[in-house]
């Protein structure tokens, strides 16, 4: 079982990263920071005769790297009550991959994986972050990915998350789960 | 009362556009197609000493244009159970404007406006689009913008929306409301 | 195709009833008014050695009557952002029926049906009634019942619903659907 | 600060009770088990000339007892993705109290209180219990009650909840909060 974190945040050592790193402490993990790549927004060409134009950016490289792993942690700060625009652009592009003849097994591959969501926000994340939780429920549901669980944390200023005992403990529990996944190798 | 549509879609004459144009037929409206502009993702520098770096793109021009209007229609295809990444990038940048000393009245201005959401999706939008509806509830709630209502429509292939009688009628009703807003001038 | 309305309201000719009657105008429908029956709250005895005690009330008679039909319209006023307690008591008792040896085909039977929800509330039902919509999504999902759709209406004082044009039109559309169901006979 | 638990469950020592008792261990708490009382469903007479008929049951006694306390823990098993019918009947009756001339300060009183929700379910409560969480958000919002937080736990067979480490820890954290509330006396 190999693990990837897909980081959607834009601030180094932000609260989301602190919480996520606690969940993966001591584990071998591939950290994908979306902000380090150029991933352009999708252009919907599903119904275009010629299909999607391949965009010359980092998307497919990032996607292929993600697909190498069995456990996917989507870690994003809560921006305006959902995932960051950068993470959304990345996921929007999946529509293109679903029609990409070079990657015919995308959906099949996603069906074998387990996804988790880790999200930290400053405005009542345990209530106002639920739309994000449900959105991933639909995303994973569509792809057939198992929804392993989620951790919501509260934080605004850098380091705030360290005061959210419930979130920290949930991260610790997630770490235990990830270790068990590993033992199944 | 002046009206702007903020279009988040990427396909010309897509279902979302067809539905929205029905709601604004015969009205004077400023149509802002986000896809025609370069709007870079936010970099969170809220807690950086120097604050946000001004990015050299079209964001502030688009924002200022939106702020000239009283009624804002956010019209987006439902991509992966939420707004398009392009619209999300635009809204994410609001966090920057909230700290922009050149635009100290951003939130006050948004408090005087009424927002509507028009969204079309192909996978049970009336159920799986509700996370998007709730996300805008929180967005408008934070800004103090009145949530005038929303229209969800179903469509996948171009033109599908014309078969969704409930959505078409809801668009007609929205048009009546917008006309009434206008009469209050 | 035969149709039943399960009415959860407690007021004669209330807004929910007005809206529902519009959706079934001219159709042959079995109207089940839960308020006319005694349906006691469930006592959870799923894990009791002896199982559920049969309660001496009208529940099974009402259930059996509902099960005779193919299309089920759950029509309830929105009380405190969900269905009425009376309707909830009725549905809670389904847990008992799921273990009732005299009704071994309950779930199988529900899998063949299509359910609709009609709900009217006074406090922003299109936003604050969404939890009810999602609750029925889970209820129908568990039973395998197809979720045909829902109609949310706004109304507080008797007759208010007649001003909600979007809801009235959605009821008309539902009626068209029900007529089509009927033609499939 | 005095604390009441309003128990909506029907099984002695059920999972919800185990989790709740952990959150209040060692604290002085008034335990109100709704199943021990007769609380009839509401009859909506808000718009009746004579207003509500007083029902001869235990409702007002239970309500008055609840109102004596500052912190209210609503503890319910998740039945069909929401609170139990018994708890729903209790809350539905609040509509009557809002018009009860003998209790003119009901809403004012609720505004001074903090409410918590503790709910245990067997079918993915962290995803499918969110409608319940949001329903209480609206209930507390309407009354002006502060929403202190919620704890969702997973359990089906008696005692299952003791395996849900995240829920147990969240209950412990809630207990710390309740102790802090107490110190503010």
């Amino acid at each position: 079982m190999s693990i990837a974190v897909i980081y959607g945040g834009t601030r180094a050592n932000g609260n989301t990263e602190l919480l996520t790193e606690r969940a993966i402490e001591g584990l071998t993990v591939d950290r994908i920071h979306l902000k380090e790549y150029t991933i352009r927004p999708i252009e919907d060409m599903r119904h275009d005769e010629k299909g999607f134009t391949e965009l010359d950016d980092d998307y497919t490289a990032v996607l292929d790297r993600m697909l190498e792993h069995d456990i996917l942690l989507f870690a994003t700060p809560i921006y305006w009550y959902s995932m960051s625009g950068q993470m959304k652009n990345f996921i929007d592009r999946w529509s293109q991959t679903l029609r990409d003849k070079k990657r015919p097994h995308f959906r099949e591959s996603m069906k074998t994986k387990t996804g988790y969501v880790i999200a930290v926000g400053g405005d009542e994340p345990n209530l106002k972050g639920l739309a994000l939780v449900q959105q991933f429920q639909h995303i994973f549901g569509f792809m057939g990915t198992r929804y392993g669980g989620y951790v919501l944390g509260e934080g605004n200023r850098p380091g705030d998350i360290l005061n959210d005992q419930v979130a920290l403990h949930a991260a610790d529990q997630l770490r235990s789960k990830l270790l068990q996944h590993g033992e199944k190798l």
Side-chain angles (χ1 to χ4, degrees), chain A:
Chain A
M1 289 285 156
S2 80
I3 303 172
V5 176
I6 297 95
Y7 272 121
T10 60
R11 193 167 70 192
N13 303 311
N15 285 308
T16 304
E17 198 169 331
L18 286 173
L19 185 61
T20 304
E21 290 296 323
R22 178 143 171 173
I24 57 177
E25 200 185 324
L27 296 166
T28 305
V29 171
D30 186 9
R31 290 165 178 79
I32 304 176
H33 289 271
L34 295 176
K35 69 173 169 183
E36 296 173 0
Y37 300 96
T38 299
I39 297 178
R40 289 172 49 197
I42 195 163
E43 277 190 66
D44 182 1
M45 297 181 155
R46 285 174 301 158
H47 306 290
D48 200 278
E49 261 180 52
K50 296 180 226 154
F52 282 94
T53 315
E54 206 135 319
L55 298 176
D56 184 24
D57 63 5
D58 303 319
Y59 169 67
T60 50
V62 170
L63 183 85
D64 288 344
R65 188 166 144 201
M66 178 184 90
L67 289 176
E68 286 168 21
H69 301 283
D70 309 296
I71 314 259
L72 307 178
L73 277 62
F74 291 87
T76 179
I78 303 179
Y79 288 165
W80 295 96
Y81 312 103
S82 188
M83 69 183 82
S84 70
Q86 268 150 319
M87 186 175 276
K88 188 62 177 24
N89 276 339
F90 174 63
I91 290 178
D92 279 0
R93 292 283 291 279
W94 293 5
S95 298
Q96 180 179 349
T97 308
L98 283 167
R99 282 160 189 80
D100 183 351
K101 285 174 186 165
K102 294 186 204 149
R103 282 165 192 78
H105 306 301
F106 176 40
R107 202 164 175 175
E108 290 309 307
S109 168
M110 290 299 287
K111 277 187 193 167
T112 65
K113 302 184 193 302
T114 298
Y116 291 90
V117 175
I118 301 176
V120 180
D123 182 18
E124 301 191 279
N126 288 296
L127 292 174
K128 298 184 186 169
L130 298 182
L132 170 62
V133 167
Q134 295 183 319
Q135 187 187 352
F136 269 102
Q137 194 176 359
H138 299 315
I139 292 171
F140 291 149
F142 182 87
M143 297 302 288
T145 305
R146 202 176 74 83
Y147 200 158
Y150 61 87
V151 180
L152 292 174
E154 185 155 0
N156 214 326
R157 298 191 59 81
D160 273 1
I161 191 65
L162 302 175
N163 300 317
D164 184 340
Q165 294 301 322
V166 171
L168 293 177
H169 186 266
D172 291 342
Q173 288 298 317
L174 174 51
R175 189 169 166 276
S176 300
K177 265 199 199 180
L178 295 175
L179 282 166
Q180 286 171 352
H181 278 301
E183 282 163 14
K184 287 186 196 151
L185 272 176

